[in-house]
Amino acid sequence: MKIAFPHMGTLTTSMKSVFTKLDQEFIVPPPISGKTVQLGVKHSPELVCLPFKITLGNMIEALELGADTVVTATSCGNCRLGFYWPAQEIILKELGYKFKMMAINYDNPLGFMAEFKKFGGGKSWLKVFNALLFGVKKQRVLESLEKEAMRIRPLERRRGDTDRILRSAFERVDLASTKKELAHSKEASLSEFQRIEKSPGREPLRVMIVGETYMIVEPNVNFNLMAKLGDLGIHAERSYWLGERILRALRLSPDGRRHHEMAKTYAYPYMRYPELCTGALSIGETIAAKKDGFDGVILVMPFTCMPEVLSQSLMMKVSAEHSIPVLTVILDEHSDDGALLTRLEAFRDLLETKKRRSCATRGYFLKEASNLTMNSLPLSD
């Protein structure tokens, strides 16, 4: 059995680690490119969302390299993700590929484990669990490095230093095969980040990224959105991290569950049944971002995304009522890198203007309050 799986950000590195621990042969599709997009678009229904097309392109490229089993994620939510794998299986078999499709439902922790046990070649539950746990730990390390890069990038004095260190850090984590090596790779990478020369006194804007998960996570599809924002002097943070999501599915993250429930609670005034729509999380996370002091929010979604279309329709009201600017970025195969950059620059200018006015207004009222206090003091005899 030669397993292949679509790319999804740093999850590719973690999946390689799990299958290596299980002694399972696998094929990693080529990095997402123009060819991947063309293959996916050519063989997909026109109005299906971009993640469907990109992952289908990944599958075709992997099957051409000799894969005979495709592993992909599925869910029971209201997103069309639950229909991806049967539709993609039909398309690929009509194209003449002979393979087996295996869908892993990450909403079901026990089923999650059982699906991975099929790749273990008779290995015990404990060994399968340890392989999976190591993959999750690797994913958490990768994402902790991403978070650090997103924090430091807007502060770096010489552009490109953060990206260079992040690439070498990812390679170091990819090679780690034990917990000790993984811990060492994290420590060494964080130490390198600390040595980056930074501009003193700079206070970057803070922007939260919410929306459709694949578009948030995969830099080759969102035009490397996090790096772009960092280069514009913005400290971007993501509402979605795969490692956290996996732990939450395995019931191993109480904080993650509390955050998830809190976002649904915030969304309730805008959606009567937020648990029925994943787009409700974008609403709740936008309100949470305002409470946490963020300067703005970017809603990123693929064209025709059903849950996020609902959140988009409510976002203007949420933005006005909570006084937080929201930029909606809708991407498909026709989207353009330059056009996105222009919109991000305009959004950055808007946030800076709003922040300057807010500081000026706050300063004016503080001065007036100070004068009032001084004038109200009783005169001494």
Side-chain angles (χ1 to χ4, degrees):
M1 183 162 58
K2 294 181 181 178
I3 293 175
F5 43 87
H7 288 291
M8 188 172 178
T10 51
L11 184 63
T12 301
T13 303
S14 304
M15 291 288 281
K16 284 168 56 183
S17 172
V18 173
F19 290 128
T20 301
K21 290 279 183 187
L22 294 174
D23 299 323
Q24 176 60 59
E25 190 175 359
F26 59 87
I27 293 175
V28 178
I32 296 172
S33 63
K35 181 184 175 185
T36 312
V37 178
Q38 286 179 1
L39 284 170
V41 170
K42 180 179 179 181
H43 300 293
S44 300
E46 183 182 1
L47 292 180
V48 76
C49 60
L50 189 59
F52 181 101
K53 297 171 182 173
I54 301 291
T55 52
L56 182 67
N58 285 155
M59 292 173 188
I60 293 174
E61 289 181 310
L63 291 169
E64 289 290 340
L65 291 174
D68 57 20
T69 304
V70 174
V71 177
T72 188
T74 187
S75 169
C76 300
N78 61 342
C79 171
R80 286 179 289 184
L81 175 63
F83 299 100
Y84 272 24
W85 71 266
Q88 289 172 331
E89 183 178 25
I90 291 170
I91 292 170
L92 292 171
K93 289 192 170 172
E94 285 182 349
L95 290 173
Y97 294 108
K98 299 186 185 307
F99 69 103
K100 183 178 180 182
M101 179 74 86
M102 299 181 73
I104 297 177
N105 185 348
Y106 58 77
D107 290 328
N108 179 4
L110 292 178
F112 192 83
M113 286 287 297
E115 292 295 335
F116 270 93
K117 195 172 186 311
K118 295 176 184 173
F119 309 121
K123 288 186 170 53
S124 67
W125 281 98
L126 181 60
K127 288 186 177 179
V128 173
F129 178 77
N130 285 334
L132 189 57
L133 190 61
F134 185 72
V136 174
K137 285 184 176 178
K138 185 171 277 196
Q139 183 66 30
R140 299 273 286 174
V141 169
L142 290 164
E143 292 182 342
S144 69
L145 297 175
E146 279 190 278
K147 288 179 185 177
E148 189 65 4
M150 289 157 65
R151 187 183 71 82
I152 291 180
R153 194 180 283 115
L155 302 173
E156 66 184 6
R157 186 185 288 273
R158 188 170 52 244
R159 180 175 291 189
D161 281 356
T162 306
D163 292 334
R164 176 176 51 78
I165 291 176
L166 184 62
R167 282 194 295 273
S168 65
F170 281 174
E171 291 171 3
R172 195 179 291 131
V173 173
D174 189 20
L175 294 174
S177 59
T178 64
K179 292 179 184 176
K180 187 176 180 180
E181 290 176 359
L182 189 59
H184 177 72
S185 65
K186 179 182 179 181
E187 186 179 341
S189 301
L190 291 176
S191 177
E192 286 187 8
F193 277 128
Q194 293 308 314
R195 289 198 291 272
I196 292 177
E197 191 177 0
K198 304 173 187 69
S199 298
R202 188 180 292 177
E203 294 184 10
L205 296 163
R206 293 176 68 216
V207 169
M208 176 61 75
I209 312 298
V210 304
E212 199 275 334
T213 55
Y214 183 85
M215 304 302 291
I216 293 176
V217 168
E218 181 50 63
N220 292 311
V221 176
N222 65 27
F223 298 101
N224 216 348
L225 179 61
M226 310 305 155
K228 271 189 172 57
L229 290 169
D231 291 341
L232 291 173
I234 295 173
H235 177 193
E237 294 188 32
R238 285 168 28 187
S239 62
Y240 184 88
W241 295 97
L242 277 166
E244 182 63 41
R245 178 69 182 86
I246 293 169
L247 287 181
R248 183 153 56 85
L250 295 172
R251 306 293 192 267
L252 296 176
S253 173
D255 289 342
R257 292 191 70 79
R258 275 195 294 274
H259 176 80
H260 184 73
E261 294 303 319
M262 182 183 68
K264 286 197 296 186
T265 303
Y266 286 151
Y268 183 77
Y270 300 93
M271 287 188 178
R272 179 68 63 87
Y273 304 104
E275 64 278 3
L276 299 179
C277 178
T278 54
L281 293 178
S282 298
I283 299 292
E285 286 157 355
T286 297
I287 298 169
K290 173 63 181 179
K291 293 179 183 295
D292 291 339
F294 281 82
D295 297 295
V297 169
I298 294 179
L299 170 64
V300 58
M301 56 185 276
F303 181 57
T304 73
C305 176
M306 293 168 60
E308 298 304 336
V309 163
L310 291 175
S311 65
Q312 182 203 5
S313 66
L314 293 164
M315 205 53 97
M316 188 177 293
K317 184 178 181 183
V318 174
S319 172
E321 292 186 354
H322 294 273
S323 186
I324 184 165
V326 178
L327 172 68
T328 301
V329 174
I330 303 175
L331 300 173
D332 67 4
E333 62 271 23
H334 304 295
S335 298
D336 177 67
D337 193 7
L340 175 61
L341 180 59
T342 302
R343 295 190 66 204
L344 295 178
E345 288 172 339
F347 190 58
R348 187 262 321 263
D349 294 346
L350 182 147
L351 296 182
E352 285 180 341
T353 302
K354 183 174 184 291
K355 193 167 188 175
R356 275 199 302 272
R357 287 179 178 171
S358 174
C359 291
T361 305
R362 192 182 305 121
Y364 171 79
F365 281 113
L366 285 174
K367 184 179 177 182
E368 289 297 304
S370 175
N371 290 336
L372 181 64
T373 304
M374 292 297 291
N375 294 333
S376 304
L377 290 175
L379 296 173
S380 58
D381 293 332

